[in-house]
Amino acid sequence: MDYQAARQRLGGKLRELRAARGWTQEQLADAVSKTTEHISYLERGERSPSFELLLDIAHALQTSVSALLSGDDPEGISDVVEALAVAPTSAPLPNPAQEGVPALERRESDLERLNAAFKGIMEMQSLAHEYGINDILQDNGGKVLQVLIILGLRTLPGREGNDALDAEGNEYELKTVNRSLNKNAGVTTHHHLNKDILRKYRAVKAWYIAHYEGIVLKEIYKLLPSQLEPLFQQWEQKIEAGTTALNNPKIPVRVVRSGERVYPAPDSEGVNNEAG
């Protein structure tokens, strides 16, 4: 199955399930915090959803991700996932989209470098599948894989408010933040936070929050739900006072750093213990 066919198949199934629920595109867009235009693009097969958005859509439509991807053919899910992934290219280069792009020789050289890099990416993707990550190029998939391996965890598919499991079945919430974008930026939580998700946030064994600078992992902090309870209570009060769920309330950096730094270990040699 080629890339366009996979998107068309997904879009058709999405349209079918939305109509069966009696929803308009606008209603579905509101449920997953996207624009109506974005939902229209998906249903027309003109865009591919992120894995996180697939989970949100499946939850909103009360179905499974596999049902969205496989359509009427349960065996076809692997074909769709494979077709929606990125792969090296080999066809002759088309005319440049804009003026001022590099010369053809430079573009061909860059494409060779890109295709060579894909060998490593595909090996990384193969490893990621073992951890339940379908696309390392979307939604911080590569960073999540790195954190999972460091912490000895596995992803928890189909979750809403908890992301990973340990060998004993304990659940954890995982978050990543890129400090190079804003060193004082808080950690985002959920774009549609409600009381059900708050209950799950409180029920996990711990939260792990990874700080990156670009693609380089700098620190991982562990926080217990009890340490986040003051924030949970504030969010709960706002939910009760309003008529809608909260949109991405954030965990301040100072709260994150009040937790236990588990990576690098505090006694690691050569570690810069400066807060940054």
Side-chain angles (χ1 to χ4, degrees), residues 182-194:
N182 183 345
K183 287 190 177 295
N184 296 314
V187 178
T188 59
T189 53
H190 195 280
H191 64 261
H192 206 66
L193 185 67
N194 55 38

Side-chain angles (χ1 to χ4, degrees), residues 203-214:
V204 298
K205 187 173 180 65
W207 285 57
Y208 285 107
I209 299 174
H211 282 181
Y212 279 79
E213 288 187 4

Side-chain angles (χ1 to χ4, degrees), residues 14 18-37 39-40 43 56-57 60-61 192:
L14 174 58
R18 174 183 59 76
R21 188 166 173 76
W23 278 9
T24 64
Q25 289 182 341
E26 183 177 8
Q27 287 173 309
L28 177 57
D30 288 342
V32 297
S33 298
K34 294 293 181 182
T35 65
T36 303
E37 182 182 34
I39 298 300
S40 178
E43 292 191 354
D56 288 343
I57 290 174
L61 296 178
H192 206 66

Side-chain angles (χ1 to χ4, degrees), residues 221-224 227 254-262:
Y221 288 89
K222 176 183 178 181
L223 290 97
L224 301 178
Q227 294 174 278
R254 59 176 175 77
V255 174
V256 175
R257 288 192 169 133
S258 70
E260 175 190 2
R261 194 185 71 183
V262 297

Side-chain angles (χ1 to χ4, degrees), residues 47-139:
R47 282 186 184 173
S48 297
S50 67
F51 187 63
E52 180 181 358
L53 180 55
L54 276 177
L55 288 174
D56 288 343
I57 290 174
H59 177 75
L61 296 178
Q62 298 182 0
T63 187
S64 64
V65 172
S66 61
L68 281 169
L69 292 176
S70 64
D72 297 325
D73 176 15
E75 300 299 323
I77 184 170
S78 60
D79 292 337
V80 176
V81 172
E82 182 178 351
L84 289 175
V86 178
T89 58
S90 58
L93 290 172
N95 291 328
Q98 298 178 359
E99 295 295 331
V101 299
L104 179 60
E105 293 80 6
R106 169 67 184 277
R107 292 169 62 208
E108 289 176 339
S109 173
D110 287 348
L111 187 59
E112 287 179 5
R113 294 171 61 196
L114 180 63
N115 285 342
F118 267 122
K119 293 179 182 179
I121 292 174
M122 296 306 290
E123 182 176 350
M124 186 175 177
Q125 182 61 65
S126 177
L127 175 62
H129 277 303
E130 299 176 22
Y131 283 78
I133 299 173
N134 287 333
D135 189 344
I136 60 169
L137 300 181
Q138 287 190 330
D139 298 321

